[in-house]
Every structure is written in structure tokens, then in C-alpha cells.
Amino acid sequence: MKMLIALLAVACSSHPVARELATPVVAKPAVAVATGPSLYDLDIAMTDAGGVRQHLDVDRGHPTLVSMFYGSCAAACPLLIDTIDRTLQQLPASSRSHARVVLVSFDPGRDTPARLQELTRAHHLDARWTLAAATDTDARTLAAVLGVHYRATPDGQFFHTSVIVAVDRDGRSIARMDGIGDPSALVAALSE
């Protein structure tokens, strides 16, 4: 009670700080703000669907959705690709043409350039998408930074989490989605 009385006394004061404290604050809508270091600072090399060695910053200069997958996944990864595609489709036209996608496989033994090309065709992915496979070491590094957890099972499949991270033109995180679901946070972050 004493604290409330003290605050009221300050609020009613003619002191400039008191007037500033008493001024109502209007909440502003959330805005995507880049945080932390750039993903592009990681020394991650990958081999894309064309057999070309690329670095993670292949789409530097564009807002980009980054995620991890493996091509022989029959459940979560096709849903992940559909969610990313749905995210792109929900962007305003001006943002949609600038947005890019980088999907990095953590199964380089099977996700060869030929297999990545098959996946690109099967999912009708356009030039905005880069599908690539990283070495085991690089995949584990990227997974640790993105917060993706995976492990191989005895039958050659993987248990894994699904994470999609939106990065700005310089590779700094602006939004993330854990799991498969409503991409509205990603859409808001990528909308110009």
C-alpha cells in the first residue's frame, strides 16, 4: 500500500520524470528484429542438387527460411516442405519473390545431388529453394545452432525435430517455428 501511495505521489508531481512515468504507454505491434550472430558466420559447406559445393550463405541478400531434413523421410519432412511452401504462398507478392529457402540434409550418404533433384521435382520446388546435403560434422554444427535434434535409428531412418528459422538478408534470426503448424510468425517476419 505504501508503494502505491508513493507511486501516485510521484505521478501527480510536476517533475518531468514523474510526468513521463505517468504518461500511458501504447503497445506497439511486434516487429521482427534480427538478433544474435549471423548463421552465415558458420563455416558450413554443402553440396546442392546440382552437385555444386555451396556455403550456407548461398542466399545472402535475401530473407531466407532455413531448416534441416532428410530425403527418405516419409512423415515429418514432407510436412515440413509443405509448411515452408505454405509460408511462401502466404507472403505478399513483393516479399514472396525475394524470399528464399535453404533445406540442409543430415543424411548425406543417401541425399546425393541426384536424390535432391528428385525431391525438387517431386515437390515442385522452384529456383528459390536450395536443397543441399552437409557432411555429418557440418550437419551437426548447423543442427546445434538451429536447435534441431536428430539421431539415426537401426532401420536407417532418423528421429528428428522440425525447426524452421527465418533469417534476414545477413543471416541473423528474425523468427522461428518449432514443429509443424501455423507459420504466421514466419510470414510476419518475412513480410516487407
Side-chain angles (χ1 to χ4, degrees), residues 152-189:
T153 61
D155 64 355
Q157 298 300 306
F158 289 87
F159 284 128
H160 65 92
T161 57
S162 295
V163 174
I164 304 168
V165 175
V167 298
D168 69 5
R169 290 168 168 75
D170 296 316
R172 289 186 309 270
S173 176
I174 54 175
R176 72 179 283 122
M177 184 171 85
D178 294 288
I180 305 297
D182 178 13
S184 59
L186 299 172
V187 171

Short mmCIF file of all heavy atoms in Angstrom, two decimals, residues 152-189:
data_model
loop_
_atom_site.label_atom_id
_atom_site.label_comp_id
_atom_site.label_asym_id
_atom_site.label_seq_id
_atom_site.Cartn_x
_atom_site.Cartn_y
_atom_site.Cartn_z
N ALA A 152 20.02 -41.26 -35.73
CA ALA A 152 19.72 -42.36 -36.63
C ALA A 152 19.10 -43.51 -35.86
O ALA A 152 19.42 -43.74 -34.69
CB ALA A 152 21.00 -42.83 -37.32
N THR A 153 18.21 -44.23 -36.52
CA THR A 153 17.59 -45.41 -35.93
C THR A 153 18.20 -46.64 -36.62
O THR A 153 18.78 -46.52 -37.70
CB THR A 153 16.06 -45.40 -36.12
OG1 THR A 153 15.77 -45.40 -37.51
CG2 THR A 153 15.44 -44.17 -35.46
N PRO A 154 18.07 -47.81 -36.01
CA PRO A 154 18.66 -49.03 -36.61
C PRO A 154 18.17 -49.34 -38.02
O PRO A 154 18.90 -49.95 -38.81
CB PRO A 154 18.24 -50.13 -35.64
CG PRO A 154 18.01 -49.44 -34.34
CD PRO A 154 17.49 -48.08 -34.70
N ASP A 155 16.97 -48.88 -38.38
CA ASP A 155 16.44 -49.17 -39.72
C ASP A 155 16.86 -48.15 -40.77
O ASP A 155 16.35 -48.14 -41.88
CB ASP A 155 14.92 -49.30 -39.67
CG ASP A 155 14.22 -48.02 -39.26
OD1 ASP A 155 14.91 -47.02 -38.92
OD2 ASP A 155 12.98 -48.00 -39.27
N GLY A 156 17.79 -47.26 -40.42
CA GLY A 156 18.28 -46.28 -41.39
C GLY A 156 17.47 -45.00 -41.47
O GLY A 156 17.78 -44.14 -42.30
N GLN A 157 16.46 -44.88 -40.66
CA GLN A 157 15.68 -43.65 -40.62
C GLN A 157 16.25 -42.74 -39.53
O GLN A 157 17.27 -43.04 -38.92
CB GLN A 157 14.21 -43.97 -40.36
CG GLN A 157 13.57 -44.84 -41.43
CD GLN A 157 13.61 -44.18 -42.80
OE1 GLN A 157 13.17 -43.06 -42.99
NE2 GLN A 157 14.17 -44.90 -43.78
N PHE A 158 15.57 -41.62 -39.27
CA PHE A 158 16.02 -40.70 -38.23
C PHE A 158 14.82 -40.27 -37.39
O PHE A 158 13.74 -40.01 -37.92
CB PHE A 158 16.62 -39.43 -38.84
CG PHE A 158 17.95 -39.64 -39.50
CD1 PHE A 158 18.03 -40.02 -40.83
CD2 PHE A 158 19.13 -39.43 -38.80
CE1 PHE A 158 19.24 -40.21 -41.45
CE2 PHE A 158 20.35 -39.61 -39.41
CZ PHE A 158 20.41 -40.01 -40.74
N PHE A 159 15.04 -40.21 -36.09
CA PHE A 159 14.13 -39.46 -35.23
C PHE A 159 14.65 -38.04 -35.26
O PHE A 159 15.87 -37.82 -35.10
CB PHE A 159 14.16 -39.97 -33.78
CG PHE A 159 13.42 -41.26 -33.57
CD1 PHE A 159 14.04 -42.32 -32.95
CD2 PHE A 159 12.10 -41.40 -33.95
CE1 PHE A 159 13.37 -43.52 -32.73
CE2 PHE A 159 11.41 -42.58 -33.74
CZ PHE A 159 12.05 -43.64 -33.14
N HIS A 160 13.77 -37.07 -35.47
CA HIS A 160 14.25 -35.69 -35.53
C HIS A 160 13.15 -34.70 -35.18
O HIS A 160 11.96 -35.02 -35.30
CB HIS A 160 14.82 -35.37 -36.92
CG HIS A 160 13.79 -35.41 -38.01
ND1 HIS A 160 13.09 -34.31 -38.41
CD2 HIS A 160 13.35 -36.43 -38.78
CE1 HIS A 160 12.27 -34.64 -39.39
NE2 HIS A 160 12.40 -35.93 -39.63
N THR A 161 13.57 -33.53 -34.76
CA THR A 161 12.63 -32.44 -34.53
C THR A 161 12.56 -31.61 -35.81
O THR A 161 13.44 -31.70 -36.67
CB THR A 161 13.09 -31.55 -33.36
OG1 THR A 161 14.40 -31.05 -33.63
CG2 THR A 161 13.09 -32.32 -32.05
N SER A 162 11.52 -30.84 -35.92
CA SER A 162 11.35 -29.95 -37.07
C SER A 162 11.42 -28.51 -36.59
O SER A 162 10.65 -28.11 -35.71
CB SER A 162 10.01 -30.20 -37.76
OG SER A 162 9.98 -31.50 -38.30
N VAL A 163 12.32 -27.77 -37.15
CA VAL A 163 12.51 -26.36 -36.81
C VAL A 163 12.68 -25.59 -38.11
O VAL A 163 13.42 -26.04 -39.00
CB VAL A 163 13.77 -26.16 -35.93
CG1 VAL A 163 14.05 -24.69 -35.69
CG2 VAL A 163 13.63 -26.90 -34.60
N ILE A 164 12.01 -24.46 -38.21
CA ILE A 164 12.20 -23.57 -39.36
C ILE A 164 12.63 -22.22 -38.78
O ILE A 164 11.95 -21.67 -37.91
CB ILE A 164 10.90 -23.39 -40.17
CG1 ILE A 164 10.37 -24.74 -40.64
CG2 ILE A 164 11.15 -22.45 -41.36
CD1 ILE A 164 8.95 -24.68 -41.21
N VAL A 165 13.74 -21.70 -39.27
CA VAL A 165 14.25 -20.42 -38.80
C VAL A 165 14.23 -19.44 -39.96
O VAL A 165 14.73 -19.75 -41.05
CB VAL A 165 15.68 -20.56 -38.23
CG1 VAL A 165 16.25 -19.20 -37.85
CG2 VAL A 165 15.69 -21.50 -37.04
N ALA A 166 13.65 -18.28 -39.73
CA ALA A 166 13.69 -17.19 -40.72
C ALA A 166 14.88 -16.31 -40.37
O ALA A 166 15.05 -15.92 -39.21
CB ALA A 166 12.40 -16.38 -40.68
N VAL A 167 15.71 -16.04 -41.38
CA VAL A 167 16.85 -15.15 -41.18
C VAL A 167 16.73 -13.96 -42.11
O VAL A 167 16.11 -14.04 -43.18
CB VAL A 167 18.20 -15.88 -41.38
CG1 VAL A 167 18.38 -17.01 -40.38
CG2 VAL A 167 18.38 -16.39 -42.80
N ASP A 168 17.31 -12.86 -41.68
CA ASP A 168 17.28 -11.66 -42.51
C ASP A 168 18.32 -11.77 -43.62
O ASP A 168 18.98 -12.81 -43.78
CB ASP A 168 17.46 -10.40 -41.66
CG ASP A 168 18.85 -10.24 -41.07
OD1 ASP A 168 19.76 -11.06 -41.37
OD2 ASP A 168 19.05 -9.31 -40.28
N ARG A 169 18.49 -10.71 -44.38
CA ARG A 169 19.39 -10.71 -45.53
C ARG A 169 20.85 -11.01 -45.16
O ARG A 169 21.64 -11.44 -45.99
CB ARG A 169 19.31 -9.37 -46.24
CG ARG A 169 18.00 -9.17 -46.96
CD ARG A 169 17.82 -7.72 -47.42
NE ARG A 169 16.74 -7.56 -48.34
CZ ARG A 169 15.45 -7.59 -48.00
NH1 ARG A 169 15.10 -7.78 -46.75
NH2 ARG A 169 14.51 -7.43 -48.91
N ASP A 170 21.17 -10.78 -43.88
CA ASP A 170 22.54 -11.00 -43.41
C ASP A 170 22.67 -12.28 -42.59
O ASP A 170 23.71 -12.52 -41.98
CB ASP A 170 23.00 -9.81 -42.58
CG ASP A 170 23.09 -8.54 -43.42
OD1 ASP A 170 23.62 -8.62 -44.55
OD2 ASP A 170 22.62 -7.48 -42.96
N GLY A 171 21.60 -13.09 -42.55
CA GLY A 171 21.68 -14.38 -41.87
C GLY A 171 21.40 -14.36 -40.38
O GLY A 171 21.63 -15.35 -39.70
N ARG A 172 20.87 -13.25 -39.87
CA ARG A 172 20.52 -13.18 -38.44
C ARG A 172 19.06 -13.60 -38.24
O ARG A 172 18.19 -13.21 -39.01
CB ARG A 172 20.75 -11.77 -37.91
CG ARG A 172 22.24 -11.44 -37.78
CD ARG A 172 22.45 -10.09 -37.12
NE ARG A 172 21.67 -9.02 -37.74
CZ ARG A 172 22.09 -8.27 -38.75
NH1 ARG A 172 23.27 -8.47 -39.28
NH2 ARG A 172 21.33 -7.33 -39.25
N SER A 173 18.83 -14.36 -37.22
CA SER A 173 17.50 -14.91 -36.94
C SER A 173 16.49 -13.79 -36.66
O SER A 173 16.75 -12.89 -35.87
CB SER A 173 17.58 -15.85 -35.73
OG SER A 173 16.31 -16.31 -35.38
N ILE A 174 15.32 -13.90 -37.32
CA ILE A 174 14.24 -12.95 -37.07
C ILE A 174 12.97 -13.64 -36.60
O ILE A 174 12.06 -12.98 -36.09
CB ILE A 174 13.95 -12.05 -38.30
CG1 ILE A 174 13.68 -12.88 -39.55
CG2 ILE A 174 15.10 -11.08 -38.54
CD1 ILE A 174 13.26 -12.08 -40.78
N ALA A 175 12.88 -14.95 -36.76
CA ALA A 175 11.72 -15.71 -36.27
C ALA A 175 12.05 -17.19 -36.37
O ALA A 175 12.94 -17.59 -37.12
CB ALA A 175 10.47 -15.40 -37.10
N ARG A 176 11.31 -18.00 -35.60
CA ARG A 176 11.49 -19.44 -35.67
C ARG A 176 10.17 -20.13 -35.37
O ARG A 176 9.31 -19.56 -34.71
CB ARG A 176 12.59 -19.94 -34.74
CG ARG A 176 12.26 -19.91 -33.29
CD ARG A 176 13.39 -20.45 -32.39
NE ARG A 176 13.44 -21.88 -32.40
CZ ARG A 176 14.51 -22.60 -32.75
NH1 ARG A 176 15.62 -22.03 -33.10
NH2 ARG A 176 14.47 -23.91 -32.73
N MET A 177 10.05 -21.33 -35.89
CA MET A 177 8.88 -22.14 -35.61
C MET A 177 9.38 -23.53 -35.25
O MET A 177 10.13 -24.14 -36.02
CB MET A 177 7.96 -22.20 -36.83
CG MET A 177 6.67 -22.97 -36.55
SD MET A 177 5.47 -22.82 -37.90
CE MET A 177 6.04 -24.11 -38.97
N ASP A 178 9.00 -23.98 -34.10
CA ASP A 178 9.34 -25.33 -33.65
C ASP A 178 8.15 -26.23 -33.93
O ASP A 178 7.05 -25.94 -33.50
CB ASP A 178 9.68 -25.34 -32.16
CG ASP A 178 10.94 -24.55 -31.87
OD1 ASP A 178 12.03 -25.01 -32.21
OD2 ASP A 178 10.81 -23.45 -31.29
N GLY A 179 8.39 -27.31 -34.65
CA GLY A 179 7.30 -28.21 -35.02
C GLY A 179 6.67 -27.77 -36.33
O GLY A 179 7.10 -26.83 -36.98
N ILE A 180 5.63 -28.49 -36.69
CA ILE A 180 4.89 -28.20 -37.92
C ILE A 180 3.55 -27.62 -37.50
O ILE A 180 2.87 -28.19 -36.66
CB ILE A 180 4.66 -29.49 -38.73
CG1 ILE A 180 5.97 -30.21 -39.00
CG2 ILE A 180 3.92 -29.21 -40.01
CD1 ILE A 180 6.96 -29.46 -39.85
N GLY A 181 3.19 -26.51 -38.08
CA GLY A 181 1.93 -25.90 -37.68
C GLY A 181 1.68 -24.60 -38.40
O GLY A 181 1.99 -24.44 -39.58
N ASP A 182 1.18 -23.64 -37.65
CA ASP A 182 0.80 -22.34 -38.18
C ASP A 182 2.04 -21.49 -38.43
O ASP A 182 2.76 -21.14 -37.50
CB ASP A 182 -0.11 -21.65 -37.17
CG ASP A 182 -0.53 -20.27 -37.59
OD1 ASP A 182 -0.33 -19.91 -38.77
OD2 ASP A 182 -1.06 -19.53 -36.74
N PRO A 183 2.31 -21.13 -39.68
CA PRO A 183 3.52 -20.37 -40.00
C PRO A 183 3.36 -18.86 -39.87
O PRO A 183 4.18 -18.10 -40.38
CB PRO A 183 3.80 -20.77 -41.45
CG PRO A 183 2.44 -20.96 -42.03
CD PRO A 183 1.62 -21.57 -40.89
N SER A 184 2.33 -18.38 -39.20
CA SER A 184 2.06 -16.94 -39.19
C SER A 184 3.22 -16.10 -38.66
O SER A 184 3.45 -14.99 -39.14
CB SER A 184 0.77 -16.63 -38.42
OG SER A 184 0.87 -17.09 -37.09
N ALA A 185 3.98 -16.59 -37.69
CA ALA A 185 5.13 -15.83 -37.18
C ALA A 185 6.20 -15.70 -38.25
O ALA A 185 6.84 -14.65 -38.39
CB ALA A 185 5.71 -16.50 -35.93
N LEU A 186 6.39 -16.76 -39.04
CA LEU A 186 7.35 -16.69 -40.12
C LEU A 186 6.88 -15.75 -41.22
O LEU A 186 7.66 -14.96 -41.75
CB LEU A 186 7.59 -18.09 -40.71
CG LEU A 186 8.14 -19.16 -39.77
CD1 LEU A 186 8.14 -20.52 -40.45
CD2 LEU A 186 9.54 -18.79 -39.26
N VAL A 187 5.61 -15.81 -41.54
CA VAL A 187 5.03 -14.93 -42.56
C VAL A 187 5.20 -13.48 -42.14
O VAL A 187 5.65 -12.63 -42.93
CB VAL A 187 3.54 -15.26 -42.81
CG1 VAL A 187 2.88 -14.22 -43.70
CG2 VAL A 187 3.41 -16.66 -43.42
N ALA A 188 4.88 -13.18 -40.89
CA ALA A 188 5.01 -11.80 -40.40
C ALA A 188 6.46 -11.34 -40.45
O ALA A 188 6.74 -10.20 -40.86
CB ALA A 188 4.49 -11.72 -38.96
N ALA A 189 7.39 -12.19 -40.11
CA ALA A 189 8.80 -11.82 -40.10
C ALA A 189 9.34 -11.57 -41.51
O ALA A 189 10.17 -10.69 -41.71
CB ALA A 189 9.63 -12.89 -39.41
#
